[in-house]
Amino acid sequence: MLKYLIEKEFKQIFRNPILPRVIIVLPFVVLALFPLAANFEIKNLKVSIVDNSHTGMSDELIQKVAASGYFNLTNVSYSYKDGLKSVEQGKADLILEIPSGFEKDLLREGSTKVMISANAVNGVKGGISSAYLANILMDYNNDIRMELMPESNTAGKSLTITPLFLFNPQLKYSIFMIPALLVMMLTMVCGFLPALNIVLEKEKGTIEQLNVTPVNKFIFILSKLIPYWIIGFVVLTICFGVAWLFYGLLPAGSILTIYLFVSVFVLAFSGFGLVISNYATSLQQAMFMMFFFVITFIFLSGLYTPVSNMPGWAKAISVISPLKYLMQVMRLVYLKGSGFGELITPFLYLCGFAVFFNSWAIMSYRKKNK
Amino acid sequence: MNRLINNKGKRARNRRVFGAFVRKEFKHILRDRWTTIILLLMPVVMLLLFGNAINTEVKNAKVVIYDPSNDDATRTIINKLLVNDYFILYKTVSSPQEIEPLFQEGEVGMAIVFSERFYENLLHTGEAQVQFMADGSDPNTALTLTSYATAIVTSAQQELLKISEVPLQITADVKLLYNPTMKAVYNFVPGVMGMILLLICTMMTCISIAREKEKGTMEVLLVSPVKPLFLLLSKAVPYFVLSLADLTIILLIAVFGMGVPIAGSFFWLIILSFIYIFLSLALGLLISSLVRSQIAALLISGMAMMIPVIILSGMLFPVENMPWFLRWLGQVVPAKWYIEAVRKLMIKGLDFSSIILEISVLTTMAIGVIMVALKTFKNRLE
């Protein structure tokens, strides 16, 4: 019985003019293009310099900023207003204002102050870019001190601070995003399609035909679930291939671990989709409900920033997001090479979700209309 | 004379029928209670999540410490690092080999590794070393963590070396423009507006029309005395009202709940939103005239439209970071122009002259799309 039902599901999917394309093309395009777009990398910052001082020293500082590799000089203007204008027009990300008494104050009074103004509409970028610029300023300060008063230097009395970035030494953002995009693709394909599935049968009236057959609820849900489970593997494999071909990224850990987690996740999330499909009365409703939950789950999953940085209440409700666990596992296995031993907690959670959603799907499916 | 009265009567009747059609659409939407609730709830949840869940501030990051020296200097530095709530100690390890497995468990954000005989070297040889190992798989968090830690250690160094007054000091006054507290929500409110309006206007409109086509009720409507144009308009009106409701909700929550300012002209913000809503409705009509089934309408508007909007519009990811061909592709995404203009008006507080380009692009797009939509709609009918 199950076999025929599954055969029917596949026939329905392949007969649809759009669905097979969605399943194949969407993961391909998303994985190939989006790591380039989903980029929060902070580099090539555009800096506008307001030099009120025009001295050898301010020139040196400007040179130093330009040579740092982080910044592109947009313009050197003579008033803060001009600088601000380039920020407003989006031509500059930050302004470095050198006061008119820059060199004089430094030499006579021993200290001087510059102004860094960063566009913080995007808070992360504002924070990190101004910190970069402040670092360069500190370097320049050390150079000056070394040059002008070598005796005062704390030479022989200093420490070196070196940052080292594990797992992703060049801090490429795409490497951070690829496992996450993989999760999103699985969510899209294996979440939305089941959510539309049963409700589509309701709208077409074919559900009535199924309801009069002796198929029991369990078999019915299983027959809806298995095709998406298989599609999940197809999607995952496409994503793997694209990540490797286009970005040269292979999982640091075991591929089998990833397949194992994905198989449980797809069961859980397709189950969730079926629950929605059971309750929805129209395609539109199913789509919007799913959209709502997917957005909520994605933002609770730590897509951008680690869940541990979230405020307490958000951290507490993030427990209900199945995506959070898969996201965590994907990044750990893909980027850091964690083994199954370290991932038992998320595995149990995902299994819990799979059982919970699918039992719910079976229970909420009614063969009889009230 | 007679004809005039007749004409008047016709117009009045037309208006009545139009009103009836609009009421019918409203009933359609409101009967579907869940969709309405979700559409009104979605912006609330999105703002709450965007505003809070995306938190790049470093707080309570777990650190591992490897300190073979364990002398006054390293203890001072460690104390300084742990005294604020930026970092909390996860574990002290006794060999550097223990560090990587801890990262693989996924809890630890950074490891701090001191060199041997730290204090002695600090005072005499200048070979004292601190290394911050951060988890580079999350680049921005890694950068933020290391730069915080560097700043703390640098200040600790001055204290350790008892440098009371550093000669020749250049300090920097850092000013964060527009968003001094670096709240993520500032960046996201315009994005949420762009997305929700598109979702309601485009997606809902095209699905509802596709639904009528699929059910065959469209034919019934078309033989009614109302002109096709009015028929389309009557479909659009309820979604227009709904999107205004959402716009109001978003602005109220953003301004009063989250303290996001409307720094620029409110008037132009509303005008801009009207143009965008109009454009989104036109897009919905266009898609609906191209597809036959609901599922096609759903997939086209959901996948082929929503995903590019989310990714390419600059709603979540800065447009300037993208390679040229994606930036170029992004130019045709209406939401990109809208979001940019809203950011300028609302957050940066610029005046009308700064958004002339965006307004003209959106207006042109709106006129173009509505013309194509009406044409295809007519062609399909004939």
Side-chain angles (χ1 to χ4, degrees):
Chain A
M1 181 73 91
L2 186 61
K3 198 182 125 209
Y4 297 114
L5 281 172
I6 291 174
E7 194 185 322
K8 158 198 158 282
E9 289 299 324
F10 272 111
K11 269 192 187 151
Q12 270 178 334
I13 291 170
F14 285 117
R15 212 183 290 154
N16 189 298
I18 297 177
L19 282 182
R21 279 184 241 174
V22 168
I23 294 164
I24 306 290
V25 177
L26 192 74
F28 189 85
V29 173
V30 167
L31 256 281
L33 286 185
F34 286 8
L36 297 172
N39 188 344
F40 244 129
E41 214 159 72
I42 309 219
K43 62 175 190 192
N44 295 329
L45 296 156
K46 291 166 285 182
V47 59
S48 162
I49 292 182
V50 181
D51 185 1
N52 295 316
S53 143
H54 307 291
T55 49
M57 258 187 191
S58 68
D59 279 348
E60 259 173 54
L61 176 59
I62 296 172
Q63 288 308 319
K64 179 110 188 165
V65 172
S68 67
Y70 292 117
F71 296 98
N72 295 331
L73 234 51
T74 313
N75 49 30
V76 180
S77 50
Y78 302 112
S79 76
Y80 181 71
K81 226 176 168 180
D82 289 347
L84 196 60
K85 193 160 249 170
S86 27
V87 172
E88 285 173 353
Q89 290 167 344
K91 288 181 191 148
D93 298 309
L94 62 179
I95 310 169
L96 173 66
E97 189 182 12
I98 304 171
S100 57
F102 180 68
E103 187 168 330
K104 204 175 69 196
D105 287 353
L106 186 64
L107 296 179
R108 292 209 191 133
E109 281 156 41
S111 76
T112 186
K113 203 172 229 177
V114 298
M115 275 269 285
I116 297 174
S117 317
N119 175 2
V121 172
N122 176 348
V124 192
K125 194 169 173 180
I128 294 185
S129 62
S130 56
Y132 274 165
L133 195 53
N135 272 344
I136 292 173
L137 197 69
M138 210 161 74
D139 274 357
Y140 176 69
N141 198 177
N142 285 338
D143 291 353
I144 291 276
R145 209 173 287 145
M146 207 78 111
E147 195 183 308
L148 295 179
M149 19 188 5
E151 72 285 358
S152 84
N153 179 26
T154 41
K157 274 183 161 195
S158 74
L159 75 136
T160 11
I161 303 171
T162 43
L164 177 76
F165 300 108
L166 300 171
F167 312 115
N168 179 11
Q170 286 144 2
L171 293 182
K172 276 197 197 152
Y173 210 79
S174 56
I175 289 184
F176 179 54
M177 285 312 287
I178 286 172
L181 286 172
L182 230 151
V183 176
M184 301 228 321
M185 268 311 95
L186 288 167
T187 310
M188 289 283 188
V189 175
C190 303
F192 276 100
L193 298 188
L196 300 179
N197 184 307
I198 296 178
V199 76
L200 191 68
E201 299 227 28
K202 282 190 208 166
E203 289 217 343
K204 295 222 157 157
T206 47
I207 195 93
E208 312 280 308
Q209 291 163 21
L210 277 169
N211 284 346
V212 295
T213 59
V215 175
N216 69 34
K217 285 177 170 187
F218 180 74
I219 300 283
F220 176 78
I221 292 294
L222 209 58
S223 76
K224 293 278 176 198
L225 209 56
I226 290 173
Y228 296 106
W229 201 52
I230 296 169
I231 289 170
F233 286 123
V234 174
V235 170
L236 180 65
T237 313
I238 294 175
C239 292
F240 265 149
V242 177
W244 175 61
L245 270 177
F246 286 64
Y247 299 92
L249 189 66
L250 282 172
S254 148
I255 291 191
L256 284 178
T257 319
I258 294 183
Y259 272 93
L260 176 69
F261 274 93
V262 166
S263 68
V264 181
F265 171 79
V266 170
L267 275 186
F269 213 69
S270 299
F272 178 66
L274 292 178
V275 170
I276 297 240
S277 208
N278 275 335
Y279 283 102
T281 48
S282 70
L283 273 176
Q284 200 177 24
Q285 208 181 44
M287 184 77 174
F288 278 104
M289 282 213 256
M290 202 60 197
F291 200 82
F292 175 75
F293 283 110
V294 164
I295 292 263
T296 313
F297 286 158
I298 285 180
F299 285 105
L300 289 172
S301 71
L303 174 67
Y304 301 99
T305 53
V307 175
S308 58
N309 274 10
M310 292 180 190
W313 61 267
K315 218 187 291 182
I317 51 171
S318 77
V319 176
I320 60 153
S321 166
L323 267 71
K324 175 188 133 176
Y325 303 98
L326 189 68
M327 194 82 81
Q328 189 190 350
V329 167
M330 276 291 190
R331 283 197 174 133
L332 282 172
V333 179
Y334 227 107
L335 307 178
K336 303 191 200 171
S338 309
F340 186 73
E342 284 135 333
L343 307 169
I344 288 175
T345 327
F347 185 74
L348 292 179
Y349 267 103
L350 283 176
C351 287
F353 278 117
V355 172
F356 175 71
F357 284 135
N358 288 305
S359 332
W360 191 3
I362 292 169
M363 276 174 349
S364 60
Y365 172 60
R366 302 244 178 280
K367 286 189 104 179
K368 272 180 261 175
N369 283 336
K370 359 165 184 138
Chain B
M1 193 66 192
N2 222 346
R3 194 182 288 157
L4 203 72
I5 291 169
N6 215 352
N7 263 349
K8 242 186 202 166
K10 222 182 212 169
R11 233 177 287 151
R13 200 185 59 205
N14 270 348
R15 212 176 305 143
R16 235 184 9 255
V17 177
F18 182 67
F21 269 77
V22 171
R23 269 199 301 283
K24 160 192 162 284
E25 284 305 316
F26 264 114
K27 272 189 191 149
H28 260 308
I29 296 175
L30 293 179
R31 204 167 31 186
D32 189 351
R33 209 174 305 139
W34 279 110
T35 310
T36 318
I37 290 176
I38 282 180
L39 284 178
L40 294 175
L41 197 67
M42 187 128 72
V44 181
V45 174
M46 276 176 78
L47 280 184
L48 283 178
L49 288 178
F50 273 128
N52 294 297
I54 303 184
N55 191 352
T56 39
E57 209 185 319
V58 177
K59 217 176 177 186
N60 298 334
K62 291 180 182 138
V63 292
V64 174
I65 293 177
Y66 169 63
D67 178 10
S69 312
N70 196 16
D71 54 34
D72 282 348
T74 59
R75 276 193 297 267
T76 314
I77 291 177
I78 292 171
N79 273 336
K80 279 232 161 202
L81 284 167
L82 298 181
V83 73
N84 320 61
D85 46 6
Y86 299 142
F87 302 103
I88 50 174
L89 182 63
Y90 181 70
K91 204 173 180 184
T92 9
V93 292
S94 49
S95 85
Q97 281 77 38
E98 290 172 47
I99 293 173
E100 195 163 324
L102 287 173
F103 273 110
Q104 285 175 338
E105 283 172 19
E107 287 284 324
V108 177
M110 191 173 73
I112 302 164
V113 178
F114 291 96
S115 60
E116 279 170 31
R117 293 192 297 158
F118 188 84
Y119 202 11
E120 207 184 309
N121 284 333
L122 179 66
L123 292 177
H124 305 296
T125 64
E127 277 166 9
Q129 282 184 12
V130 192
Q131 188 172 54
F132 299 126
M133 282 190 207
D135 177 359
S137 62
D138 179 352
N140 285 345
T141 307
L143 275 173
T144 320
L145 286 177
T146 52
S147 67
Y148 271 52
T150 308
I152 293 173
V153 173
T154 313
S155 80
Q157 177 192 11
Q158 291 182 359
E159 193 176 298
L160 283 169
L161 295 173
K162 303 192 177 61
I163 306 172
S164 53
E165 205 167 283
V166 188
L168 294 179
Q169 199 170 21
I170 307 175
T171 48
D173 240 354
V174 176
K175 191 165 109 192
L176 296 167
L177 300 168
Y178 315 120
N179 179 10
T181 44
M182 295 197 284
K183 280 191 196 155
V185 75
Y186 278 53
N187 198 26
F188 290 125
V189 168
V192 172
M193 286 164 64
M195 188 174 143
I196 294 281
L197 294 181
L198 193 74
L199 190 73
I200 296 176
C201 301
T202 310
M203 220 159 143
M204 297 252 336
T205 322
C206 85
I207 296 170
S208 82
I209 294 181
R211 184 185 170 88
E212 301 243 16
K213 276 193 190 171
E214 207 175 80
K215 296 220 156 169
T217 44
M218 200 61 166
E219 314 278 297
V220 180
L221 292 178
L222 284 173
V223 296
S224 73
V226 172
K227 283 189 191 146
L229 180 67
F230 283 103
L231 187 71
L232 281 185
L233 275 182
S234 72
K235 291 234 157 245
V237 170
Y239 296 110
F240 181 72
V241 174
L242 203 58
S243 51
L244 287 190
D246 263 350
L247 190 63
T248 318
I249 294 179
I250 295 176
L251 287 177
L252 284 178
I253 294 181
V255 173
F256 295 106
M258 310 185 116
V260 180
I262 299 183
S265 150
F266 182 68
F267 173 75
W268 283 110
L269 182 63
I270 297 300
I271 296 288
L272 181 75
S273 303
F274 270 56
I275 298 176
Y276 181 67
I277 290 173
F278 182 73
L279 170 57
S280 309
L281 285 171
L283 260 178
L285 295 180
L286 179 62
I287 298 178
S288 66
S289 66
L290 295 176
V291 296
R292 284 238 181 86
S293 66
Q294 277 192 83
I295 190 107
L298 271 175
L299 291 175
I300 288 182
S301 60
M303 306 272 176
M305 209 186 61
M306 267 341 257
I307 294 180
V309 166
I310 292 175
I311 302 281
L312 294 178
S313 69
M315 165 189 180
L316 297 175
F317 303 104
V319 177
E320 66 268 19
N321 278 0
M322 296 175 193
W324 63 270
F325 59 94
L326 286 182
R327 239 178 307 165
W328 183 79
L329 207 62
Q331 305 294 326
V332 299
V333 176
K336 184 226 151 201
W337 298 96
Y338 176 67
I339 291 171
E340 202 147 288
V342 173
R343 273 191 193 139
K344 282 185 184 170
L345 279 179
M346 226 177 136
I347 314 293
K348 288 190 179 174
L350 305 184
D351 54 9
F352 173 67
S353 62
S354 66
I355 57 157
I356 291 176
L357 175 68
E358 283 88 355
I359 285 224
S360 352
V361 170
L362 286 173
T363 314
T364 320
M365 280 180 172
I367 295 172
V369 171
I370 194 76
M371 272 166 43
V372 176
L374 287 180
K375 198 157 180 23
T376 46
F377 191 75
K378 241 185 219 155
N379 286 346
R380 293 284 156 131
L381 292 180
E382 277 155 13

